[in-house]
Amino acid sequence: MRYVRRLVLRVLSGIQPSGRLHIGNFFGAMRQHLQLQAEHDGFYFIADYHALTSNPAPPDIAKHTLDVAMDYIALGLDTEKTVFWRQSDVPQVTELAWILSCITPMGLLQRCTSYKDKVAQGISPNHGLFAYPVLQAADILIFHSNLVPVGADQKQHIEVTRDIAGYFNNTYGQVLTIPQEHIIESVAVVPGIDGQKMSKSYGNTIEIFEPESSVKKKVMRIVTDSTPVESPKDPEKCNVFALLKLVASPGELKDWENRYRNGGMGYGEAKKRLAELLIDYFKPYRHKRAELEKNHGCIKEILTKGARRAAVVASKTLLDVRKVVGLGDYNNGR
Ligand code: ADP
Ligand code: TRP
């Protein structure tokens, strides 16, 4: 018998607890996380330190952290195999973030578009928001991650992480693992109901587990152009079609594409079908989600256990980093 050795990679990703998770999060990132966990060494966390950068109301962080955890678990996260924790339960990352800050050129951060985008949205331009990519780099590097599956909007942050790891290793020796990035190109950016990127902070989301009646209402509100029913339409310019691509079978999608191009189809018809498909897609997970809602204690326990597993890896890397930068291998006061 021939044995083929599988390459097992450390796959890490984080998601901010800034609101209920939406279908952009799912198709842009979570679906890949769930697929990769079977074959690889999954490390997934809820990025609550990052969420602080937009100054949420304190009770909201705790509530959204539990919501994100329940959404993930309901959708199939294997909490026995995959390490799943809350970022702030492993505070070693903040120490690494500081050390990395000291070798990160200002220009690298000034080029980051997400800071400018968030300030343009009205988030106060605080230092945490500016330094956000350094904390994200620390998240990735402290666990020696090989693969970081994220949506297309996060590509720049992964490049910054690779740059920071490169500066660090060039300065202090090969201590940090430089990650590859992992972006599923077929799912670029999922549009929200207003046609901008779907995002919790833009109020334009369709949540994975919102009531079915509300999914229908939101889908009917998706912004389309004013091409009359009888005229041909360009599917590639339509927000409804962009979402149909995520949930319709290839055959059905081809039919819709033809109907768009031939004319004689109203957007209302496509929206109705989209709502049905979205509801069907997530239906199998609704029961589990409702069950989890009844037992928050169990969710907290899962996150605590995950944090303990994550901390073992994080502490080891931090010790290696402290040694090479000259801070020593002892931790006074801890
Ligand atoms: P949000 O913008 O809603 O706050 P996050 O920034 O927490 O979402 O993103 C969590 C993950 O979901 C990231 O990997 C991100 O790339 C992905 N993601 C978020 N919104 C979208 C979208 N509209 N399309 C594709 N991926 C997305
Ligand atoms: N910045 C990511 C987002 O908004 C969340 C995140 C924080 C993350 N740390 C990370 C993603 C580390 C991947 C790896 O989606």
Side-chain angles (χ1 to χ4, degrees):
M1 196 196 293
R2 260 185 82 227
Y3 288 96
V4 180
R5 237 182 110 211
R6 267 194 307 118
L7 182 62
V8 175
L9 299 172
R10 166 81 36 94
V11 180
L12 173 135
S13 197
I15 207 153
Q16 292 190 66
S18 44
R20 298 292 289 258
L21 296 181
H22 54 75
I23 60 172
N25 296 137
F26 181 80
F27 290 104
M30 293 169 84
R31 183 170 59 166
Q32 287 72 258
H33 303 168
L34 295 166
Q35 282 164 354
L36 287 163
Q37 67 176 347
E39 300 252 313
H40 296 284
D41 186 18
F43 270 58
Y44 302 135
F45 65 95
I46 304 176
D48 56 349
Y49 281 140
H50 277 108
L52 278 183
T53 58
S54 39
N55 307 129
D60 285 353
I61 298 209
K63 183 180 173 310
H64 291 149
T65 297
L66 281 177
D67 279 336
V68 170
M70 288 187 283
D71 286 355
Y72 254 109
I73 296 169
L75 290 165
L77 189 92
D78 177 350
T79 55
E80 289 297 316
K81 179 171 190 296
T82 298
V83 183
F84 184 50
W85 75 102
R86 179 174 71 150
Q87 185 187 29
S88 64
D89 284 334
V90 184
Q92 288 87 337
V93 291
T94 57
E95 184 172 343
L96 181 61
W98 177 255
I99 296 173
L100 296 179
S101 277
C102 299
I103 51 126
T104 302
M106 284 294 283
L108 189 65
L109 300 182
Q110 276 157 346
R111 284 195 292 278
C112 286
T113 53
S114 80
Y115 173 76
K116 293 174 211 158
D117 291 348
K118 287 180 180 172
V119 173
Q121 276 166 42
I123 299 177
S124 90
N126 59 60
H127 171 256
L129 203 59
F130 185 71
Y132 185 114
V134 185
L135 179 58
Q136 183 159 349
D139 288 329
I140 295 169
L141 299 173
I142 207 165
F143 296 106
H144 292 289
S145 314
N146 307 113
L147 221 55
V148 185
V150 282
D153 60 311
Q154 292 293 311
K155 193 172 165 47
Q156 191 180 34
H157 288 164
I158 311 305
E159 282 160 5
V160 167
T161 300
R162 290 161 52 87
D163 286 346
I164 294 177
Y167 295 138
F168 188 92
N169 286 350
N170 285 339
T171 312
Y172 297 111
Q174 302 298 309
V175 175
L176 301 174
T177 304
I178 301 191
Q180 310 160 27
E181 88 220 44
H182 189 277
I183 290 172
I184 303 296
E185 296 293 351
S186 58
V187 180
V189 171
V190 177
I193 62 173
D194 60 355
Q196 289 190 79
K197 176 199 139 161
M198 185 176 289
S199 171
K200 295 174 219 110
S201 35
Y202 298 168
N204 62 359
T205 65
I206 301 172
E207 290 161 13
I208 298 171
F209 289 115
E210 72 180 83
E212 294 181 0
S213 57
S214 150
V215 172
K216 282 187 197 144
K217 276 193 207 130
K218 284 195 177 167
V219 169
M220 295 319 282
R221 279 172 39 211
I222 294 174
V223 172
T224 49
D225 62 24
S226 51
T227 316
V229 173
E230 57 284 4
S231 309
K233 301 172 182 64
D234 182 353
E236 294 309 328
K237 291 200 178 126
C238 175
N239 297 319
V240 181
F241 191 79
L243 297 178
L244 275 172
K245 276 186 184 169
L246 304 171
V247 281
S249 67
E252 178 169 355
L253 195 66
K254 192 79 208 141
D255 285 347
W256 282 108
E257 190 181 341
N258 293 335
R259 294 191 61 196
Y260 267 73
R261 295 200 192 283
N262 294 341
M265 179 217 72
Y267 289 121
E269 249 185 283
K271 287 179 176 178
K272 236 176 118 208
R273 182 62 184 145
L274 172 63
E276 279 169 14
L277 287 169
L278 277 173
I279 289 169
D280 286 352
Y281 193 96
F282 293 107
K283 213 186 235 350
Y285 311 103
R286 279 186 183 270
H287 177 70
K288 173 120 191 241
R289 180 66 178 77
E291 287 299 304
L292 292 169
E293 192 66 67
K294 295 180 199 149
N295 194 352
H296 286 180
C298 153
I299 307 293
K300 288 180 187 164
E301 210 173 287
I302 288 171
L303 292 174
T304 307
K305 277 196 196 147
R308 276 194 212 114
R309 290 166 73 190
V312 174
V313 185
S315 303
K316 161 83 176 65
T317 312
L318 188 58
L319 211 59
D320 293 342
V321 165
R322 286 178 58 103
K323 272 190 214 165
V324 296
V325 301
L327 294 176
D329 58 359
Y330 54 88
N331 288 335
N332 283 335
R334 271 191 238 149

